[in-house]
Amino acid sequence: MTEIKAAAPSSGPHGIQMLLPFVTNKYLITGFMLYGLGAIVWLGVLSKWDVSKAYPLVGLGFLLSALVGFALGESVTLIRGLGVLMIIAGVLMVGMS
């Protein structure tokens, strides 16, 4: 009968050594820090506003993403631009209600 042995956690292609480049990646660390900052800001907004008024602000993230993408050289097509404008119109309608 063949005996199956468990591999050590740090050996093989799925070990800790494989995770090290990701854990030390400055872009990944910055992304997690910004995500955490966004969560803190979002909790602050929710503590002051009704959820029904605050949640549509999430839609403004689409506008910000499109603007940053455009600034970084991504193509923002007419359809994408119209979609973002429709989201912004919806945010405005909810905000004025």
Side-chain angles (χ1 to χ4, degrees), residues 65-76:
S65 296
L67 291 175
V68 169
F70 183 73
L72 294 175
E74 290 184 14
S75 65
V76 179

Side-chain angles (χ1 to χ4, degrees), residues 25-40:
N25 185 317
K26 65 180 177 180
Y27 298 111
L28 187 64
I29 292 169
T30 303
F32 279 126
M33 289 173 58
L34 289 174
Y35 185 81
L37 178 64
I40 292 169

Side-chain angles (χ1 to χ4, degrees), residues 27-95:
Y27 298 111
L28 187 64
I29 292 169
T30 303
F32 279 126
M33 289 173 58
L34 289 174
Y35 185 81
L37 178 64
I40 292 169
V41 169
W42 181 241
L43 288 174
V45 168
L46 288 178
S47 71
K48 305 224 183 298
W49 289 13
D50 292 335
V51 175
S52 62
K53 295 276 187 168
Y55 198 73
L57 292 176
V58 173
L60 296 177
F62 289 100
L63 174 64
L64 182 61
S65 296
L67 291 175
V68 169
F70 183 73
L72 294 175
E74 290 184 14
S75 65
V76 179
T77 63
L78 178 63
I79 296 296
R80 186 177 297 174
L82 289 174
V84 169
L85 287 176
M86 290 175 67
I87 291 169
I88 298 304
V91 168
L92 289 174
M93 283 189 259
V94 170

